[in-house]
Amino acid sequence: MLERKNEDEWFALFGIDRAVALPPDFEGANFICARWDRMPFPSVLMMSVLTSEGRATLLNRKLRLTRSQFKDHAFVKRLHPRSLRRRIA
């Protein structure tokens, strides 16, 4: 449980329960995240991949590679899977 203190009271920000999530639960959540106009996903390209060397994240056309303590930034002109694969590998 992650909480934040508001003056004298604690407010729950995040919690994990033991409820079972079934495939329809994931499908429904995915649909809402992908289609609801108040979510960023319909209009913003986001990706995160964990590789053997670190993490690669893409936000629109900004690619960030984090390897150990080093961070590299690149602007991707073309969003072609092969070009992204070469930069991430």
Side-chain angles (χ1 to χ4, degrees):
M1 173 75 66
L2 176 63
E3 297 179 323
R4 176 182 71 199
K5 190 170 185 180
N6 290 340
E7 296 183 22
D8 294 333
E9 296 180 359
W10 286 92
F11 177 74
L13 297 174
F14 181 78
I16 298 173
D17 60 17
R18 299 197 185 274
V20 176
L22 300 173
D25 299 319
F26 294 108
E27 290 174 23
N30 183 52
F31 181 82
I32 291 170
C33 289
R35 301 292 181 169
W36 190 28
D37 62 351
R38 293 179 62 188
M39 296 296 275
F41 305 108
S43 59
V44 177
L45 177 63
M46 290 183 256
M47 177 192 81
S48 180
V49 176
L50 186 61
T51 68
S52 60
E53 295 182 20
R55 180 177 304 277
T57 57
L58 180 70
L59 180 58
N60 288 327
R61 293 181 182 265
K62 184 176 183 180
L63 178 65
R64 176 179 290 161
L65 303 173
T66 306
R67 295 181 177 131
S68 299
Q69 307 119 333
F70 303 103
K71 290 184 181 178
D72 297 327
H73 301 273
F75 186 77
V76 181
K77 293 180 183 175
R78 290 187 194 163
L79 293 177
H80 192 277
R82 285 189 198 134
S83 66
L84 285 175
R85 194 173 298 132
R86 279 193 300 264
R87 288 179 183 261
I88 293 171

